[in-house]
Amino acid sequence: MSQRHKHLHRRRASSVTVALNQIPLNHNQQSPSPEPAVKPLPSRRRPTEGDRYRSKGLWSDIKTGRWLLAPASSFRLSLIAPSLYLIHHLLSTYGIIGRSQVPNVFEHFILPSNKLEDGRYGKSWWDFAFLAHYIVVWTFVRQFMTVRVLRPMARALGVKGQKIVRFTEQGYAIFYFGILGVYGLYVMRDLPIWWFNTEHFWLEYPHRKMTFHLKTYYLLQAAYWLQQTIIMIAKIEKPRKDYKELVAHHIITLWLIGWSYTVYLTYIGVAIFITMDVSDLFLGLAKCVNYVSEFYSVPLFAWFTIVWTYMRHYLNIVILYSVWTQFDLIPLPDRTTFDPWNDRWIDWWMKWQIFIPILLLQLLNLVWYFLILRILVRAVFLNDRKDERSDDEDEAEGDEAKEE
């Protein structure tokens, strides 16, 4: 076949193909729509640090436990009891409901309950409502301080990388222990135990009646330690190397708080709170300064070591010695019967139930004291200020994702 015939054949074939493609297979068939162009997947926005603390809706946050992270949700939850209290107050003020017929139970979530005739306070089952409300309040305060105050402060001071997280943790410790430490000293100042006058832990026992400030202080501390335990169990804070010791510390602390409040030994509880709070205040301050300026951290850490030695060891041993030698100052009729149904709690064995957890707390403090002294020696002689409890102090200080 000549080249001309081959060329005509190809033209006819292509013409036939085009014609066949234009014939519908049936009268209802439509011409096929062109294939859509393949679109590239949209680029996913990189999660930011702010996303971690952003609410996904109150109900969703409650179901997932995200309210522990999102300050917006914990703030809304903390407003429930005050809002209901205010609504009830307005309704009773304008006579819509009778105040005597419908008591304002929401008051018990906000203020101490069981006020006695002499103006002091006793224990009450409503104390659990107070604890529940202030667990939520402390959650909001913690997250608000972390997200809105301490993180921006850390960046402004030049703190970078993982140290920002540790700065916010210790910054919140300064905030909390600074306030509750001063409040504890104020409460102690009005009690006969002022500056560890230990014999009054036991004299005039049982101390059934509490001042407004004593009961408020004690329950606020209980709510804080319960909230911190929830935070620890949920691992919202990155666990340190001494995580097991911290778990033990929290369990012992809650044990002491619960028992001392139940058996009317709040005076000794106030003393222990102060030894813990004041020393933790200076610990947080020393660590925050170290994250910002290592030059000033050594003298401050040395001062913290002195405070820790005095508060966590000397005064705690004074308290232990008081339990060992002064327990029998409790009037004899009040330390011979354990009968919870009749509100009598102290028998001879209760001495050991008080002594053992304080001793365990002291042993944990000695473990940390060894680490503190080793850090101090290294800081002074080797110029090494690493906190041995932290896993991430020496991690690379990469740039963090910016908050939106």
Side-chain angles (χ1 to χ4, degrees), residues 205-206 208 327-339 342-348:
Y205 179 87
R208 285 190 170 91
F327 178 83
D328 291 341
L329 291 177
I330 296 176
L332 185 61
D334 293 313
R335 57 178 169 88
T336 55
T337 304
F338 181 76
D339 185 7
N342 292 307
D343 205 25
R344 301 188 65 183
W345 299 92
I346 300 295
D347 204 347
W348 65 269

Side-chain angles (χ1 to χ4, degrees), residues 241-341:
K241 291 179 180 178
D242 61 347
Y243 179 76
K244 293 181 180 179
E245 289 85 350
L246 279 174
V247 171
H249 178 272
H250 282 52
I251 292 173
I252 295 170
T253 301
L254 290 174
W255 178 5
L256 285 169
I257 293 172
W259 269 105
S260 61
Y261 189 77
T262 300
V263 305
Y264 304 111
L265 286 173
T266 50
Y267 285 6
I268 191 172
V270 169
I272 294 174
F273 277 138
I274 289 174
T275 64
M276 295 169 62
D277 291 356
V278 175
S279 55
D280 279 340
L281 168 63
F282 284 95
L283 171 62
L285 187 60
K287 288 180 69 65
C288 281
V289 170
N290 183 52
Y291 295 141
V292 175
S293 172
E294 293 186 353
F295 178 78
Y296 295 103
S297 65
V298 174
L300 187 57
F301 192 82
W303 172 248
F304 151 71
T305 304
I306 295 172
V307 173
W308 178 283
T309 303
Y310 176 69
M311 303 297 291
R312 289 282 185 123
H313 297 290
Y314 173 74
L315 288 180
N316 263 269
I317 291 172
V318 167
I319 294 171
L320 277 170
Y321 184 76
S322 173
V323 178
W324 183 272
T325 62
Q326 297 178 326
F327 178 83
D328 291 341
L329 291 177
I330 296 176
L332 185 61
D334 293 313
R335 57 178 169 88
T336 55
T337 304
F338 181 76
D339 185 7
W341 298 111

Side-chain angles (χ1 to χ4, degrees), residues 112-351:
S113 55
N114 194 19
K115 187 175 183 179
L116 306 175
E117 293 181 356
D118 62 358
R120 291 185 289 178
Y121 291 79
K123 293 187 303 184
S124 170
W125 289 108
W126 281 110
D127 294 340
F128 289 103
F130 186 96
L131 290 175
H133 173 66
Y134 280 95
I135 286 172
V136 177
V137 170
W138 284 130
T139 300
F140 163 69
V141 172
R142 180 188 184 279
Q143 294 307 106
F144 177 82
M145 289 294 298
T146 297
V147 178
R148 301 300 181 187
V149 178
L150 295 169
R151 292 186 70 85
M153 181 186 295
R155 291 193 175 98
L157 293 172
V159 182
K160 297 179 180 179
Q162 289 294 328
K163 288 185 178 181
I164 292 180
V165 177
R166 295 306 187 199
F167 181 92
T168 59
E169 293 171 4
Q170 298 304 320
Y172 178 65
I174 295 172
F175 172 81
Y176 175 81
F177 294 120
I179 295 175
L180 269 293
V182 172
Y183 192 23
L185 291 172
Y186 174 79
V187 171
M188 189 188 212
R189 187 69 182 86
D190 288 337
L191 298 176
I193 62 169
W194 171 246
W195 212 248
F196 299 88
N197 189 2
T198 57
E199 64 180 12
H200 286 282
F201 292 163
W202 321 105
L203 295 174
E204 300 92 30
Y205 179 87
H207 307 121
R208 285 190 170 91
K209 297 181 179 181
M210 296 172 280
T211 64
F212 171 84
H213 289 293
L214 173 57
K215 182 166 184 176
T216 301
Y217 171 74
Y218 224 85
L219 292 180
L220 285 177
Q221 288 275 26
Y224 169 81
W225 284 102
L226 285 168
Q227 189 265 345
Q228 285 295 104
T229 303
I230 294 171
I231 293 294
M232 183 179 61
I233 293 173
K235 294 188 177 180
I236 290 177
E237 292 182 355
K238 184 177 180 180
R240 297 179 182 271
K241 291 179 180 178
D242 61 347
Y243 179 76
K244 293 181 180 179
E245 289 85 350
L246 279 174
V247 171
H249 178 272
H250 282 52
I251 292 173
I252 295 170
T253 301
L254 290 174
W255 178 5
L256 285 169
I257 293 172
W259 269 105
S260 61
Y261 189 77
T262 300
V263 305
Y264 304 111
L265 286 173
T266 50
Y267 285 6
I268 191 172
V270 169
I272 294 174
F273 277 138
I274 289 174
T275 64
M276 295 169 62
D277 291 356
V278 175
S279 55
D280 279 340
L281 168 63
F282 284 95
L283 171 62
L285 187 60
K287 288 180 69 65
C288 281
V289 170
N290 183 52
Y291 295 141
V292 175
S293 172
E294 293 186 353
F295 178 78
Y296 295 103
S297 65
V298 174
L300 187 57
F301 192 82
W303 172 248
F304 151 71
T305 304
I306 295 172
V307 173
W308 178 283
T309 303
Y310 176 69
M311 303 297 291
R312 289 282 185 123
H313 297 290
Y314 173 74
L315 288 180
N316 263 269
I317 291 172
V318 167
I319 294 171
L320 277 170
Y321 184 76
S322 173
V323 178
W324 183 272
T325 62
Q326 297 178 326
F327 178 83
D328 291 341
L329 291 177
I330 296 176
L332 185 61
D334 293 313
R335 57 178 169 88
T336 55
T337 304
F338 181 76
D339 185 7
W341 298 111
N342 292 307
D343 205 25
R344 301 188 65 183
W345 299 92
I346 300 295
D347 204 347
W348 65 269
W349 56 267
M350 188 61 72
K351 173 180 180 178

